Amino acid sequence: MSERIPTPASPPPDIVRCAYLELVVTDLVRSREFYVDLLGLVVTHESAGEIYLRTFDEFIHHNLVLRQGPVAAVAAFAYRVRSPEELDRAVAFYSELGCRVERRAEGFVKGVGDAVRVQDPLGFPVEYFYQVEHVERLAWAYHLHHPGALVRLDHFNQVTPDVPKAAAHLVDLGFRVTEDIEDGEGTVYAAWLRRKPTVHDTAMTGGDGPRLHHVAFATHEKHNIIAICDKMGALRISDRIERGPGRHGVSNAFYLYILDPDGHRVEIYTQDYWTGDPDNPLVTWDVHDNQRRDWWGNPVVPSWYTEASGVLDLDGVPVPVQVRTDAGEMAVTIGADGFSYTREGDVDQGFKLGNQL
């Protein structure tokens, strides 16, 4: 475990919520088929090289930017802040940490004004903005809704070698930890952190990083997720379903994980819980508990632990990946020497469907 990132004397920006992801894709036509034709995200604007998309309940310009590029990766994890003055705070906060900081009064993408982008101490490209173009909120446009309608951007999930280091840095930014996964020796395998009063705006998952594990969009109901599965089956693209549908233990949410044409992972997510009280309790899960990742005890496919998307620096160059040195979650639970349980103390039965590896 590496040394903790120092806490700046400068106050952090007041973050409201995760707002959009800028994603580089290698084939914009195929990506449009996935995000628009399959998932039904709403097109706010498109050009030869970019598509701006939003969910049905959204009123800001976009929740996802797809940009054509040579390498599939993440260009920015973007958060909205509470006021224009928070951008000054963001500059001071990250400058004190010695991070690279860029500010553009005209914004970095269409529809967003004055914005700050940084390469944070964990290696992730992060944007903060307040000024944004408003667009029509389509929550009441039921004639446009489809059975799998995506209603909001819910969270990011980021892969990082040192979860306690990453979580502590986000706590310095004003995030609160809602849930985590640990073992009896004190190794932390993942942590969920929030600004809005849900389970998370982002999560830090232990692994080689910095990388994006997934971006998650919310639906209103479980049946919306089932409809997406049925549609993918009908289109004969069920091989893009990586995991689920199922119910998480962590977050209590119903989930589905699917892969876009570049392998970027998208979660469809619904029905987590309120976390807005000041004394909301931390929920800690045992890494050996079968039901932490899937409440029904179904095993996790290995690719879900090992595969993730790279990230770019502020010049658009891929950021080198640092190897995790702490134990990995897959190895300690489903590896050759690992174990897991359905009932505490029951180490012989393991996964109800048997060992995967």
Side-chain angles (χ1 to χ4, degrees), residues 292-333:
R292 73 198 183 282
R293 291 294 190 181
D294 184 278
W295 186 241
W296 307 333
N298 292 322
V300 180
V301 295
S303 64
W304 194 87
Y305 284 120
T306 59
E307 301 300 317
S309 301
V311 304
L312 304 177
D313 66 18
L314 301 188
D315 295 318
V317 177
V319 176
V321 171
Q322 180 181 349
V323 175
R324 177 175 169 88
T325 56
D326 287 345
E329 188 173 347
M330 184 174 74
V332 301
T333 55

Side-chain angles (χ1 to χ4, degrees), residues 120-187:
D120 79 3
L122 305 170
F124 294 102
V126 182
E127 176 178 310
Y128 299 102
F129 71 95
Y130 174 78
Q131 296 175 351
V132 66
E133 180 182 333
H134 288 195
V135 292
E136 182 184 4
R137 176 177 267 160
L138 298 173
W140 299 273
Y142 290 108
H143 60 296
L144 300 178
H145 291 209
H146 50 87
L150 305 182
V151 295
R152 61 183 169 84
L153 172 67
D154 190 83
H155 63 266
F156 310 129
N157 187 306
Q158 299 165 253
V159 184
T160 188
D162 189 332
V163 174
K165 175 182 178 179
H169 173 62
L170 289 186
V171 169
D172 285 346
L173 271 166
F175 286 78
R176 291 185 60 183
V177 182
T178 58
E179 303 199 27
D180 65 9
I181 295 175
E182 302 183 13
D183 64 18
E185 288 69 51
T187 302

